[in-house]
Amino acid sequence: TEVTISLGYLGELMQAYVSRINLPGLEISFVWENSPLGTAGPLSLIDNLDDRFLVMNGDVLTDIDFNRMYQFNIKREDDITVAVFPRKVTIDLGVLELGEDEKILNYIEKPEYPYLASMGIYVIRKSAVQDLSRGEKKDLPDFVLDAIAKNKAVRAFQFDGFWLDIGRIDDYQEAQDNLSAILEDLGLQDLLDKE
């Protein structure tokens, strides 16, 4: 029911656009960064944080079940839960594994390596934010690493549904090419009808 958006450079444009949105029961507020604070730093500017709250990057398009992720965080009593998505990287060349005296041990043609990518979605306990100084510049990856170093409970929430990071050119192009179908799948077709 409450959304806080962190704004900085050209934030007036975002505020003007978002202010046109009328969703009953949703209160939207803004915090302003006088200088860039990274992706975690703005959390220190929000005075009324709940004990647990959701944080997400503004360039994420997904159908993740936020409530399920939130309940996952509560059940495990985590300080930070990071949504992760399975991806793979393909190397378009043959990869050689070498041993002693440059002896070739293995030759793998165009291998694929799986990994888990951060989705830019987090459930965070207010107590984890207390380590941030007000106005401190900090990115979420560093914030998570600091929490791990302090032995805070940090866990991954694995998700394999629909997710695009539209800050990446490939994902942005996919979103543009399939916008109507994506919005329909997400139940948001009426957004196109209004524009």
Side-chain angles (χ1 to χ4, degrees), residues 162-176:
F162 176 77
W163 172 66
L164 292 176
D165 172 358
I166 57 176
R168 295 179 62 251
I169 191 67
D170 293 345
D171 285 4
Y172 178 78
Q173 190 61 53
E174 182 179 339
Q176 289 296 307

Side-chain angles (χ1 to χ4, degrees), residues 13-138:
L13 297 174
M14 177 66 78
Q15 185 176 24
Y17 181 81
V18 170
S19 295
R20 296 183 345 185
I21 298 172
N22 182 19
L23 295 173
L26 181 65
E27 179 184 324
I28 301 175
S29 60
F30 304 91
V31 295
W32 286 88
E33 301 174 45
N34 294 326
S35 59
L37 297 179
T39 52
L43 297 174
S44 69
L45 303 178
I46 304 171
D47 296 323
N48 59 341
L49 291 171
D50 290 336
D51 180 50
R52 285 181 171 82
F53 55 93
L54 178 76
V55 174
M56 66 184 289
N57 296 345
D59 56 2
V60 172
L61 189 57
T62 184
D63 65 353
I64 192 170
D65 185 335
F66 295 113
N67 186 51
R68 192 166 153 248
M69 182 178 173
Y70 187 83
Q71 295 305 320
F72 177 92
N73 174 277
I74 291 171
K75 182 178 179 182
R76 286 155 184 84
E77 300 180 0
D78 291 331
D79 293 296
I80 302 173
T81 301
V82 181
V84 298
F85 190 83
R87 288 257 173 139
K88 61 184 171 189
V89 63
T90 302
I91 298 178
D92 293 332
L93 303 167
V95 174
L96 300 175
E97 294 177 6
L98 303 181
E100 292 181 25
D101 196 29
E102 307 304 315
K103 181 178 178 182
I104 295 176
L105 303 176
N106 197 4
Y107 190 119
I108 308 164
E109 183 62 24
K110 297 183 174 113
E112 290 184 348
Y113 297 103
Y115 64 97
L116 293 172
S118 169
M119 294 174 61
I121 302 172
Y122 310 81
V123 175
I124 301 174
R125 291 194 74 169
K126 183 177 182 176
S127 58
V129 177
Q130 292 171 345
D131 294 334
L132 281 175
S133 299
R134 188 166 182 85
E136 176 184 1
K137 183 176 183 177
K138 177 84 63 170

